[in-house]
Amino acid sequence: MNTENSAPFGGGGGLYIHIPLCKQACHYCDFHFSTSLGKKEAMIAALKRELELRKGEFANENVETIYFGGGTPSVLELGEIHDLVSTVYKHYKVADTPEITLEANPDDLSLQKIQALAKSPINRLSIGIQSFFDTDLKLMNRAHSANEASESLKNAVRHFDNISIDLIYGMPDMTLDRWKKNIEKALSYGVPHISSYALTIEPKTALANFVDKGLIRPASDELAQEHFHLLYETLLQEGFICYEISNFGKPGYFSQNNSAYWQQKKYVGIGPSAHSFDGIRRGWNIGNNTKYIKALEKGELPMETETLSTKDKYNEYVMTGLRTIWGVDVTRIQKEYGEKFKDYLLMQSKKFREEGLLVLEEKVLSTTKKGKFLADGIAADLFMINLS
């Protein structure tokens, strides 16, 4: 279990398994998925084959976390989940008590399915609630209703201890009062983890089209920031720790899988469009279901890789570090990237420290409460653009 300042897990790594299937397309989503479930059997076979082909990447480490993301992994049957988990255990060394997370939508979580999942290897649920108001859910084109959201949580907390829910703020026409009611409703179920993101208008999504046509007006940045600060203050009062800008967990309930990403631990991404990282290289699979399946049927990995430069590694560490309670360790910058990077970081961060957006304590640079919502923009100003 995690404490506020501990590392997320030991010397192993994580497996991310991307299930690129959904019942319907959410208007805001730009992740890779398909609403056609006709190739589900072939997709699962391909995922199993990729797991087998890539087992060498974990030859010397334990798998500490297994994360089913998507898409909508809860469209899988229990037998299909068991099949994939069994494949992992067959080809990898797995820790004694791995965190195994399933992302799920409320409309998939009948009482019977929750009870069955509780008896399966899955020990953590991440439920895509997004909102407890039908107005918001319809705008997002979610497949569930507000009532289904409530029912799924009511049943889930009876059978799972480790539950996270997703909420979206900065919605068009979402008042501060309605956002407050969303937070209060979420807290009423006693869940130990909440992930909450500002709605972003991604290019080529239905939501972007609505905005272009003037059918909806996005929330202002100022209102979204108010939503964030209300969330932050409320959850901290309830004993949550904002260990990453969008993630709040009770002590012992931080997401081990996600913490690995932010602390730049090794992870292997399985499935179409999934990304991988080993500390030196990044890899990404092709974002096309048909091509992915055909490649794996031939025993080929449909994957591209790039070796990260020192500048790339520095920029990624700054970006992820500023989003978390672990911050950016200046001593690590000097040791791993060199004196020039350390001096540059201190020089570029000076104005943000003077403005009270960043703080440097015990050689760790981190955001203040005032600077949290602005972390991504601040990080961009700390990036090393060139080495001259």
Side-chain angles (χ1 to χ4, degrees):
M1 292 294 184
N2 298 315
T3 56
E4 181 172 349
N5 296 308
S6 67
F9 53 90
L15 275 177
Y16 172 83
I17 302 175
H18 187 72
I19 308 299
L21 304 170
C22 291
K23 290 180 180 177
Q24 63 188 52
C26 298
H27 286 159
Y28 58 87
C29 183
D30 69 341
F31 291 168
H32 173 69
F33 67 93
S34 171
T35 54
S36 173
L37 304 184
K39 294 183 179 179
K40 187 168 69 162
E41 185 177 336
M43 177 60 67
I44 292 170
L47 294 171
K48 290 167 61 179
R49 182 66 172 136
E50 186 183 1
L51 281 166
E52 180 183 359
L53 290 174
R54 298 183 67 184
K55 63 184 178 182
E57 295 177 43
F58 271 98
N60 301 312
E61 297 135 317
N62 284 345
V63 172
E64 301 275 354
T65 67
I66 303 170
Y67 192 100
F68 289 91
T72 312
S74 54
V75 301
L76 297 181
E77 301 296 330
L78 264 295
E80 293 166 336
I81 294 172
H82 272 285
D83 205 11
L84 288 167
V85 173
S86 295
T87 302
V88 174
Y89 273 86
K90 179 180 178 181
H91 296 292
Y92 297 77
K93 292 182 292 185
V94 181
D96 291 338
T97 56
E99 176 191 84
I100 306 180
T101 302
L102 180 80
E103 288 185 352
N105 280 352
D107 47 296
D108 292 324
L109 293 179
S110 66
L111 176 58
Q112 292 75 18
K113 184 142 186 183
I114 290 171
Q115 290 172 331
L117 284 170
K119 296 174 183 177
S120 79
I122 302 298
N123 54 32
R124 182 174 184 270
L125 288 181
S126 178
I127 306 176
I129 299 294
Q130 313 308 357
S131 177
F132 290 99
F133 290 89
D134 283 323
T135 302
D136 298 331
L137 296 172
K138 288 176 182 175
L139 176 62
M140 291 185 272
N141 199 40
R142 295 292 291 172
H144 68 275
S145 66
N147 184 62
E148 285 175 312
S150 298
E151 281 297 307
S152 69
L153 274 175
K154 184 175 70 175
N155 292 323
V157 295
R158 294 174 183 167
H159 298 277
F160 279 86
D161 169 62
N162 199 351
I163 296 174
S164 176
I165 67 172
D166 287 353
L167 294 175
I168 291 180
Y169 61 88
M171 292 280 298
D173 301 320
M174 178 183 276
T175 63
L176 205 57
D177 182 63
R178 191 159 90 211
W179 176 233
K180 182 180 179 182
K181 289 177 179 175
N182 259 320
I183 300 169
E184 290 172 346
K185 183 79 169 177
L187 290 171
S188 72
Y189 294 98
V191 295
H193 191 282
I194 294 175
S195 296
S196 190
Y197 307 89
L199 181 70
T200 53
I201 312 297
E202 300 291 353
K204 299 180 181 180
T205 60
L207 194 61
N209 187 44
F210 297 157
V211 172
D212 290 343
K213 291 181 177 179
L215 299 176
I216 62 170
R217 187 169 59 184
S220 66
D221 290 343
E222 291 75 19
L223 181 58
Q225 189 165 351
E226 284 187 59
H227 285 173
F228 172 79
H229 285 300
L230 176 62
L231 175 76
Y232 181 86
E233 293 292 348
T234 304
L235 293 189
L236 260 61
Q237 289 172 12
E238 294 294 326
F240 287 78
I241 298 165
C242 182
Y243 68 102
E244 193 270 345
I245 289 174
S246 300
N247 286 269
F248 299 77
K250 293 283 185 73
Y253 289 95
F254 296 0
S255 167
Q256 294 182 27
N257 174 81
N258 293 349
S259 294
Y261 297 159
W262 303 317
Q263 292 198 315
Q264 298 184 306
K265 301 279 187 175
K266 176 178 179 175
Y267 58 89
V268 169
I270 303 294
S273 80
H275 283 234
S276 303
F277 175 69
D278 66 3
I280 300 171
R281 293 173 298 276
R282 287 207 175 276
W284 56 95
N285 287 348
I286 191 169
N288 180 293
N289 288 4
T290 301
K291 291 180 179 179
Y292 171 82
I293 290 169
K294 286 183 177 179
L296 269 302
E297 286 175 344
K298 293 185 289 186
E300 299 172 355
L301 289 174
M303 181 182 180
E304 294 183 52
T305 61
E306 66 171 346
T307 299
L308 300 178
S309 66
T310 301
K311 181 180 70 174
D312 293 334
K313 293 176 186 176
Y314 162 85
N315 288 344
E316 289 197 10
Y317 177 47
V318 169
M319 179 180 67
T320 55
L322 285 187
R323 291 183 63 92
T324 73
I325 59 170
W326 300 289
V328 176
D329 187 332
V330 176
T331 302
R332 174 180 166 181
I333 293 285
Q334 182 176 15
K335 181 180 178 181
E336 295 188 13
Y337 311 122
E339 192 80 20
K340 180 180 291 187
F341 285 89
K342 184 205 75 171
D343 292 343
Y344 181 81
L345 176 69
L346 293 176
M347 177 186 70
Q348 289 294 103
S349 66
K350 184 178 179 182
K351 66 177 180 178
F352 297 111
R353 286 182 275 140
E354 291 173 346
E355 293 170 3
L357 300 174
L358 294 178
V359 62
L360 182 63
E361 292 180 343
E362 299 180 357
K363 296 187 177 181
V364 174
L365 188 69
S366 56
T367 56
T368 62
K369 172 184 166 183
K370 180 181 174 184
K372 280 190 182 300
F373 186 77
L374 306 173
D376 288 345
I378 294 171
D381 279 354
L382 306 184
F383 287 169
M384 178 72 79
I385 306 302
N386 57 62
L387 296 175
S388 60

